[in-house]
Amino acid sequence: MNNAIRHTWVFSVGLFLVLFAALSVVQVGVTDQLEAHPQNVRELYQDRGASRGAITVDGTAIADSVPSPDTPFDHQRVYRDSELYSGLTGFYSIVEQPNGLEGAMNEYLSGRSDSQFFDRITSLFTGDTTEGAQVELTVDPELQRLAHDTIADGTQGSIVVTDVETGQIKAMASKPSFDANALATHSSSEFVATKEELQDQNVPLYGDPAIKDRFFPGSTFKLLDTAAMLESGDYAADEELEVPDELELPNSDTPITNFRGGICSQREEAELSWIFAQSCNTPFAAAAMDLGEDEIRSTAEAFGFNDSELQIPMSVTESIFPEDLTQASLAQSSIGGFDVQATPLQMNMVAAAIANDGTMMAPHLVESVRGPDLQVLEQSEPEELSEPISSSTAEELSELMKGPIESGTAVGAQSDVVDIHAKTGTADFGETTESGAPIVNSWITGFADVGDSTYAVTVAYQDIPYEDGHNLTVSNLKTMFEGAVDQ
């Protein structure tokens, strides 16, 4: 081989190695950086205009992609009955990363999941675009509509309905809501203007308040106090306890009091069943201090408090029970105050576990995922999270939860159609309306047998006048259970 040929060969091999190295760097090392570059308009059009898989409820698409002619994007994301479902679906935008189910299930919806790997390989040879998978939800469309319509307009309210034996979320709705189509626009300026308008109206755009917002649970937390009391063996439903109007707290100038002018002031001593039905504060605060912080907190954590990893598949905000409490702050925590915070889903999980003989199931929103050929890629199965209480304690608690309905704080939820068990809660954080009425968080959580299933329903309103909140939660609970029976 003469020198000229040898030099040409060496140069060619060297050039090939340089090109190969450069290609490797581009394809492996800086792919994400190039795709995210603001001037990479082609990637933006291809990604944001792709045909994503549908999100379906009872076989009907509530979110899917349709052809978008005469625009730079091949497809447009469309949401149906979005006011009902936007808290679940979130939105898919050309400006921001997807959120809600659009974000949590993005790998499947975009066709990029590991289980769709061979579909992507096939598309390389066929030239076809990889189609996203279909995500089917556990939601009952009629219950979802009922929940949405039941929440009072002009309020911050949430309703959660779950099947206690499977953990399936049958409905989850909140107000105020929004139309996700307005944020799925292909115009970035329209997106920004719409987003600012909705945020000015305090519309929650990034996560349903039922799983995102946490706030004082008030007396619904007494379900956990009662669970700890019964599990300890030191208390019984028919045991009489003292019911002082005020309970002085160690090293504190602020006593625990019962509701002023309420029924609790009528008796100096009463059975735990009566105290539970009337939601008297002082006996629960005294019992919490007697049992101690570790007992109350461990019970709360067994029911899911202080768990930052729960996903449905969207991440659920961690509900909080504090630690290193004084006796005074423990007493305040026991009635759902101090630093105790809970999401509506969390208090639904508490009621569901009691209804399910003490076994807490993992709540979930996705029933199945199917590929474009309808092959099942993922199928949800009931998953047990924990057994926070014994079946005997669950049975006692279930019986106690009849009291508020029969003769206590939730008599407005009495029904001739369904046998409801429930616990109310009110958290007064010191604010009032112009007329002097207290502004509160108002809660109710409970369960009932609905046909062959048992459903847990939780209703929560934030920042609402006391009378309005109490009346709405109780009537909404009854409406949801009677509506479920009618399905």
Side-chain angles (χ1 to χ4, degrees), residues 28 32 44 55 57 73 81 95 98 103 136 139 158 167 169 192 236 245 257 277 297 300 305 322 329 349 394 436 470:
V28 178
D32 293 341
L44 173 66
I55 301 174
V57 170
F73 300 89
D81 287 329
V95 179
E136 174 73 18
V139 171
S158 296
I169 296 173
V192 172
D245 285 336
T257 62
R297 190 177 66 253
F305 280 75
S329 56
M349 292 166 63
H470 180 75

PDB file of all heavy atoms in Angstrom, residues 28 32 44 55 57 73 81 95 98 103 136 139 158 167 169 192 236 245 257 277 297 300 305 322 329 349 394 436 470:
ATOM      1  N   VAL A  28     -27.077  10.736  22.603  1.00  0.00           N
ATOM      2  CA  VAL A  28     -27.091  10.238  23.981  1.00  0.00           C
ATOM      3  C   VAL A  28     -26.861  11.341  24.991  1.00  0.00           C
ATOM      4  O   VAL A  28     -27.604  11.509  25.955  1.00  0.00           O
ATOM      5  CB  VAL A  28     -26.036   9.117  24.174  1.00  0.00           C
ATOM      6  CG1 VAL A  28     -26.039   8.643  25.626  1.00  0.00           C
ATOM      7  CG2 VAL A  28     -26.287   7.976  23.215  1.00  0.00           C
ATOM      8  N   ASP A  32     -31.759  15.451  25.496  1.00  0.00           N
ATOM      9  CA  ASP A  32     -32.748  16.165  26.299  1.00  0.00           C
ATOM     10  C   ASP A  32     -32.530  17.672  26.225  1.00  0.00           C
ATOM     11  O   ASP A  32     -33.490  18.455  26.167  1.00  0.00           O
ATOM     12  CB  ASP A  32     -32.676  15.698  27.761  1.00  0.00           C
ATOM     13  CG  ASP A  32     -33.123  14.261  27.918  1.00  0.00           C
ATOM     14  OD1 ASP A  32     -33.808  13.756  27.014  1.00  0.00           O
ATOM     15  OD2 ASP A  32     -32.775  13.642  28.939  1.00  0.00           O
ATOM     16  N   LEU A  44     -40.916  20.982  19.353  1.00  0.00           N
ATOM     17  CA  LEU A  44     -42.118  21.441  20.056  1.00  0.00           C
ATOM     18  C   LEU A  44     -43.368  21.058  19.286  1.00  0.00           C
ATOM     19  O   LEU A  44     -44.313  20.511  19.849  1.00  0.00           O
ATOM     20  CB  LEU A  44     -42.061  22.955  20.247  1.00  0.00           C
ATOM     21  CG  LEU A  44     -43.332  23.616  20.814  1.00  0.00           C
ATOM     22  CD1 LEU A  44     -43.576  23.145  22.233  1.00  0.00           C
ATOM     23  CD2 LEU A  44     -43.232  25.128  20.748  1.00  0.00           C
ATOM     24  N   ILE A  55     -58.067   9.438  27.692  1.00  0.00           N
ATOM     25  CA  ILE A  55     -58.436   9.164  29.079  1.00  0.00           C
ATOM     26  C   ILE A  55     -59.933   8.912  29.065  1.00  0.00           C
ATOM     27  O   ILE A  55     -60.702   9.755  28.587  1.00  0.00           O
ATOM     28  CB  ILE A  55     -58.086  10.346  29.995  1.00  0.00           C
ATOM     29  CG1 ILE A  55     -56.582  10.647  29.942  1.00  0.00           C
ATOM     30  CG2 ILE A  55     -58.516  10.047  31.429  1.00  0.00           C
ATOM     31  CD1 ILE A  55     -56.195  11.913  30.712  1.00  0.00           C
ATOM     32  N   VAL A  57     -63.722   7.257  30.761  1.00  0.00           N
ATOM     33  CA  VAL A  57     -64.571   6.935  31.906  1.00  0.00           C
ATOM     34  C   VAL A  57     -65.729   6.100  31.393  1.00  0.00           C
ATOM     35  O   VAL A  57     -66.478   6.555  30.518  1.00  0.00           O
ATOM     36  CB  VAL A  57     -65.079   8.207  32.610  1.00  0.00           C
ATOM     37  CG1 VAL A  57     -66.157   7.853  33.633  1.00  0.00           C
ATOM     38  CG2 VAL A  57     -63.937   8.947  33.274  1.00  0.00           C
ATOM     39  N   PHE A  73     -49.554  22.241  14.284  1.00  0.00           N
ATOM     40  CA  PHE A  73     -49.633  21.051  15.116  1.00  0.00           C
ATOM     41  C   PHE A  73     -50.547  20.022  14.462  1.00  0.00           C
ATOM     42  O   PHE A  73     -51.617  20.368  13.955  1.00  0.00           O
ATOM     43  CB  PHE A  73     -50.161  21.404  16.510  1.00  0.00           C
ATOM     44  CG  PHE A  73     -49.300  22.386  17.254  1.00  0.00           C
ATOM     45  CD1 PHE A  73     -49.510  23.746  17.110  1.00  0.00           C
ATOM     46  CD2 PHE A  73     -48.283  21.949  18.079  1.00  0.00           C
ATOM     47  CE1 PHE A  73     -48.712  24.657  17.792  1.00  0.00           C
ATOM     48  CE2 PHE A  73     -47.496  22.842  18.762  1.00  0.00           C
ATOM     49  CZ  PHE A  73     -47.703  24.202  18.614  1.00  0.00           C
ATOM     50  N   ASP A  81     -66.827  17.390  28.895  1.00  0.00           N
ATOM     51  CA  ASP A  81     -67.352  17.573  30.255  1.00  0.00           C
ATOM     52  C   ASP A  81     -66.234  18.007  31.189  1.00  0.00           C
ATOM     53  O   ASP A  81     -66.112  17.517  32.325  1.00  0.00           O
ATOM     54  CB  ASP A  81     -67.996  16.278  30.773  1.00  0.00           C
ATOM     55  CG  ASP A  81     -69.327  15.988  30.114  1.00  0.00           C
ATOM     56  OD1 ASP A  81     -70.027  16.942  29.738  1.00  0.00           O
ATOM     57  OD2 ASP A  81     -69.667  14.798  29.965  1.00  0.00           O
ATOM     58  N   VAL A  95     -47.290  25.254  26.441  1.00  0.00           N
ATOM     59  CA  VAL A  95     -46.460  26.177  27.217  1.00  0.00           C
ATOM     60  C   VAL A  95     -45.829  25.501  28.429  1.00  0.00           C
ATOM     61  O   VAL A  95     -44.666  25.739  28.751  1.00  0.00           O
ATOM     62  CB  VAL A  95     -47.287  27.394  27.665  1.00  0.00           C
ATOM     63  CG1 VAL A  95     -46.447  28.352  28.500  1.00  0.00           C
ATOM     64  CG2 VAL A  95     -47.870  28.112  26.453  1.00  0.00           C
ATOM     65  N   PRO A  98     -47.268  18.820  31.245  1.00  0.00           N
ATOM     66  CA  PRO A  98     -48.606  18.315  31.587  1.00  0.00           C
ATOM     67  C   PRO A  98     -48.740  18.067  33.083  1.00  0.00           C
ATOM     68  O   PRO A  98     -47.758  17.763  33.766  1.00  0.00           O
ATOM     69  CB  PRO A  98     -48.699  17.006  30.790  1.00  0.00           C
ATOM     70  CG  PRO A  98     -47.281  16.607  30.519  1.00  0.00           C
ATOM     71  CD  PRO A  98     -46.519  17.879  30.385  1.00  0.00           C
ATOM     72  N   GLY A 103     -50.096  14.439  33.321  1.00  0.00           N
ATOM     73  CA  GLY A 103     -48.705  14.368  33.733  1.00  0.00           C
ATOM     74  C   GLY A 103     -48.347  13.042  34.358  1.00  0.00           C
ATOM     75  O   GLY A 103     -47.331  12.433  34.014  1.00  0.00           O
ATOM     76  N   GLU A 136     -58.021   4.074  31.282  1.00  0.00           N
ATOM     77  CA  GLU A 136     -59.408   3.945  31.738  1.00  0.00           C
ATOM     78  C   GLU A 136     -59.464   4.192  33.243  1.00  0.00           C
ATOM     79  O   GLU A 136     -58.710   3.594  34.016  1.00  0.00           O
ATOM     80  CB  GLU A 136     -59.949   2.554  31.422  1.00  0.00           C
ATOM     81  CG  GLU A 136     -61.344   2.265  31.980  1.00  0.00           C
ATOM     82  CD  GLU A 136     -62.475   2.991  31.249  1.00  0.00           C
ATOM     83  OE1 GLU A 136     -62.240   3.451  30.106  1.00  0.00           O
ATOM     84  OE2 GLU A 136     -63.580   3.089  31.800  1.00  0.00           O
ATOM     85  N   VAL A 139     -63.687   5.849  37.764  1.00  0.00           N
ATOM     86  CA  VAL A 139     -64.772   6.783  38.090  1.00  0.00           C
ATOM     87  C   VAL A 139     -66.105   6.327  37.505  1.00  0.00           C
ATOM     88  O   VAL A 139     -66.172   5.866  36.366  1.00  0.00           O
ATOM     89  CB  VAL A 139     -64.416   8.188  37.566  1.00  0.00           C
ATOM     90  CG1 VAL A 139     -65.597   9.145  37.670  1.00  0.00           C
ATOM     91  CG2 VAL A 139     -63.213   8.740  38.334  1.00  0.00           C
ATOM     92  N   SER A 158     -65.155  20.078  48.171  1.00  0.00           N
ATOM     93  CA  SER A 158     -64.706  18.831  47.547  1.00  0.00           C
ATOM     94  C   SER A 158     -65.561  17.677  48.034  1.00  0.00           C
ATOM     95  O   SER A 158     -65.999  17.657  49.193  1.00  0.00           O
ATOM     96  CB  SER A 158     -63.239  18.532  47.891  1.00  0.00           C
ATOM     97  OG  SER A 158     -62.371  19.506  47.380  1.00  0.00           O
ATOM     98  N   GLY A 167     -60.687   0.147  47.038  1.00  0.00           N
ATOM     99  CA  GLY A 167     -59.927   1.385  46.986  1.00  0.00           C
ATOM    100  C   GLY A 167     -60.196   2.204  45.738  1.00  0.00           C
ATOM    101  O   GLY A 167     -59.608   3.276  45.554  1.00  0.00           O
ATOM    102  N   ILE A 169     -61.558   4.868  43.326  1.00  0.00           N
ATOM    103  CA  ILE A 169     -62.171   6.181  43.471  1.00  0.00           C
ATOM    104  C   ILE A 169     -63.320   6.259  42.470  1.00  0.00           C
ATOM    105  O   ILE A 169     -63.107   6.240  41.262  1.00  0.00           O
ATOM    106  CB  ILE A 169     -61.143   7.292  43.230  1.00  0.00           C
ATOM    107  CG1 ILE A 169     -60.047   7.239  44.306  1.00  0.00           C
ATOM    108  CG2 ILE A 169     -61.820   8.667  43.232  1.00  0.00           C
ATOM    109  CD1 ILE A 169     -58.888   8.183  44.068  1.00  0.00           C
ATOM    110  N   VAL A 192     -51.566  32.140  28.360  1.00  0.00           N
ATOM    111  CA  VAL A 192     -51.139  33.011  29.449  1.00  0.00           C
ATOM    112  C   VAL A 192     -52.294  33.874  29.932  1.00  0.00           C
ATOM    113  O   VAL A 192     -52.521  34.034  31.146  1.00  0.00           O
ATOM    114  CB  VAL A 192     -49.949  33.890  29.006  1.00  0.00           C
ATOM    115  CG1 VAL A 192     -49.637  34.943  30.066  1.00  0.00           C
ATOM    116  CG2 VAL A 192     -48.722  33.027  28.732  1.00  0.00           C
ATOM    117  N   ALA A 236     -64.407   2.074  76.683  1.00  0.00           N
ATOM    118  CA  ALA A 236     -65.458   1.298  76.021  1.00  0.00           C
ATOM    119  C   ALA A 236     -66.597   2.239  75.641  1.00  0.00           C
ATOM    120  O   ALA A 236     -66.757   3.317  76.229  1.00  0.00           O
ATOM    121  CB  ALA A 236     -65.975   0.199  76.944  1.00  0.00           C
ATOM    122  N   ASP A 245     -67.464  21.615  80.848  1.00  0.00           N
ATOM    123  CA  ASP A 245     -67.647  22.650  79.824  1.00  0.00           C
ATOM    124  C   ASP A 245     -66.303  23.183  79.346  1.00  0.00           C
ATOM    125  O   ASP A 245     -66.147  23.558  78.182  1.00  0.00           O
ATOM    126  CB  ASP A 245     -68.494  23.803  80.367  1.00  0.00           C
ATOM    127  CG  ASP A 245     -69.960  23.428  80.464  1.00  0.00           C
ATOM    128  OD1 ASP A 245     -70.391  22.516  79.734  1.00  0.00           O
ATOM    129  OD2 ASP A 245     -70.683  24.049  81.271  1.00  0.00           O
ATOM    130  N   THR A 257     -62.794  23.973  75.141  1.00  0.00           N
ATOM    131  CA  THR A 257     -64.208  24.152  75.475  1.00  0.00           C
ATOM    132  C   THR A 257     -65.068  23.350  74.512  1.00  0.00           C
ATOM    133  O   THR A 257     -64.649  23.023  73.403  1.00  0.00           O
ATOM    134  CB  THR A 257     -64.615  25.632  75.395  1.00  0.00           C
ATOM    135  OG1 THR A 257     -64.435  26.100  74.045  1.00  0.00           O
ATOM    136  CG2 THR A 257     -63.774  26.485  76.333  1.00  0.00           C
ATOM    137  N   ALA A 277     -71.453  11.037  69.561  1.00  0.00           N
ATOM    138  CA  ALA A 277     -72.565  11.518  68.731  1.00  0.00           C
ATOM    139  C   ALA A 277     -72.702  13.034  68.789  1.00  0.00           C
ATOM    140  O   ALA A 277     -73.004  13.680  67.785  1.00  0.00           O
ATOM    141  CB  ALA A 277     -73.872  10.856  69.165  1.00  0.00           C
ATOM    142  N   ARG A 297     -50.370   9.688  67.818  1.00  0.00           N
ATOM    143  CA  ARG A 297     -49.663   9.853  66.551  1.00  0.00           C
ATOM    144  C   ARG A 297     -49.505   8.527  65.825  1.00  0.00           C
ATOM    145  O   ARG A 297     -49.657   8.448  64.594  1.00  0.00           O
ATOM    146  CB  ARG A 297     -48.294  10.499  66.745  1.00  0.00           C
ATOM    147  CG  ARG A 297     -47.646  10.901  65.403  1.00  0.00           C
ATOM    148  CD  ARG A 297     -46.321  11.614  65.541  1.00  0.00           C
ATOM    149  NE  ARG A 297     -45.290  10.753  66.087  1.00  0.00           N
ATOM    150  CZ  ARG A 297     -44.798  10.836  67.304  1.00  0.00           C
ATOM    151  NH1 ARG A 297     -45.263  11.766  68.123  1.00  0.00           N
ATOM    152  NH2 ARG A 297     -43.861  10.016  67.724  1.00  0.00           N
ATOM    153  N   ALA A 300     -52.689   7.788  64.113  1.00  0.00           N
ATOM    154  CA  ALA A 300     -52.856   8.643  62.935  1.00  0.00           C
ATOM    155  C   ALA A 300     -51.988   8.151  61.780  1.00  0.00           C
ATOM    156  O   ALA A 300     -52.436   8.090  60.629  1.00  0.00           O
ATOM    157  CB  ALA A 300     -52.503  10.088  63.290  1.00  0.00           C
ATOM    158  N   PHE A 305     -51.569   9.277  57.970  1.00  0.00           N
ATOM    159  CA  PHE A 305     -50.963  10.574  58.216  1.00  0.00           C
ATOM    160  C   PHE A 305     -49.437  10.468  58.153  1.00  0.00           C
ATOM    161  O   PHE A 305     -48.861   9.408  58.418  1.00  0.00           O
ATOM    162  CB  PHE A 305     -51.383  11.120  59.581  1.00  0.00           C
ATOM    163  CG  PHE A 305     -52.741  11.761  59.602  1.00  0.00           C
ATOM    164  CD1 PHE A 305     -53.887  10.986  59.574  1.00  0.00           C
ATOM    165  CD2 PHE A 305     -52.882  13.144  59.644  1.00  0.00           C
ATOM    166  CE1 PHE A 305     -55.147  11.557  59.595  1.00  0.00           C
ATOM    167  CE2 PHE A 305     -54.137  13.731  59.665  1.00  0.00           C
ATOM    168  CZ  PHE A 305     -55.274  12.944  59.637  1.00  0.00           C
ATOM    169  N   PRO A 322     -48.456  16.336  63.987  1.00  0.00           N
ATOM    170  CA  PRO A 322     -47.154  16.822  64.455  1.00  0.00           C
ATOM    171  C   PRO A 322     -46.562  15.935  65.544  1.00  0.00           C
ATOM    172  O   PRO A 322     -47.209  15.029  66.074  1.00  0.00           O
ATOM    173  CB  PRO A 322     -47.485  18.217  64.993  1.00  0.00           C
ATOM    174  CG  PRO A 322     -48.923  18.122  65.403  1.00  0.00           C
ATOM    175  CD  PRO A 322     -49.574  17.183  64.421  1.00  0.00           C
ATOM    176  N   SER A 329     -50.796  21.254  73.419  1.00  0.00           N
ATOM    177  CA  SER A 329     -50.896  21.131  71.961  1.00  0.00           C
ATOM    178  C   SER A 329     -51.407  19.753  71.553  1.00  0.00           C
ATOM    179  O   SER A 329     -52.069  19.610  70.522  1.00  0.00           O
ATOM    180  CB  SER A 329     -49.556  21.430  71.294  1.00  0.00           C
ATOM    181  OG  SER A 329     -48.528  20.604  71.792  1.00  0.00           O
ATOM    182  N   MET A 349     -60.137   7.989  53.564  1.00  0.00           N
ATOM    183  CA  MET A 349     -59.430   6.740  53.825  1.00  0.00           C
ATOM    184  C   MET A 349     -59.695   6.243  55.247  1.00  0.00           C
ATOM    185  O   MET A 349     -59.779   5.039  55.484  1.00  0.00           O
ATOM    186  CB  MET A 349     -57.931   6.930  53.588  1.00  0.00           C
ATOM    187  CG  MET A 349     -57.553   7.169  52.129  1.00  0.00           C
ATOM    188  SD  MET A 349     -55.862   7.790  51.907  1.00  0.00           S
ATOM    189  CE  MET A 349     -54.896   6.411  52.564  1.00  0.00           C
ATOM    190  N   ALA A 394     -62.999  -1.797  64.661  1.00  0.00           N
ATOM    191  CA  ALA A 394     -63.715  -1.252  63.503  1.00  0.00           C
ATOM    192  C   ALA A 394     -65.218  -1.440  63.673  1.00  0.00           C
ATOM    193  O   ALA A 394     -66.012  -0.537  63.334  1.00  0.00           O
ATOM    194  CB  ALA A 394     -63.234  -1.929  62.230  1.00  0.00           C
ATOM    195  N   GLY A 436     -70.163  38.866  61.780  1.00  0.00           N
ATOM    196  CA  GLY A 436     -69.665  38.231  62.998  1.00  0.00           C
ATOM    197  C   GLY A 436     -69.777  36.727  63.029  1.00  0.00           C
ATOM    198  O   GLY A 436     -69.368  36.097  64.010  1.00  0.00           O
ATOM    199  N   HIS A 470     -72.010  23.635  57.759  1.00  0.00           N
ATOM    200  CA  HIS A 470     -72.595  22.467  58.431  1.00  0.00           C
ATOM    201  C   HIS A 470     -73.783  21.930  57.641  1.00  0.00           C
ATOM    202  O   HIS A 470     -73.883  20.713  57.405  1.00  0.00           O
ATOM    203  CB  HIS A 470     -73.031  22.841  59.843  1.00  0.00           C
ATOM    204  CG  HIS A 470     -73.648  21.703  60.586  1.00  0.00           C
ATOM    205  ND1 HIS A 470     -72.921  20.665  61.115  1.00  0.00           N
ATOM    206  CD2 HIS A 470     -74.956  21.413  60.858  1.00  0.00           C
ATOM    207  CE1 HIS A 470     -73.724  19.796  61.701  1.00  0.00           C
ATOM    208  NE2 HIS A 470     -74.969  20.220  61.556  1.00  0.00           N
TER     209      HIS A 470
END
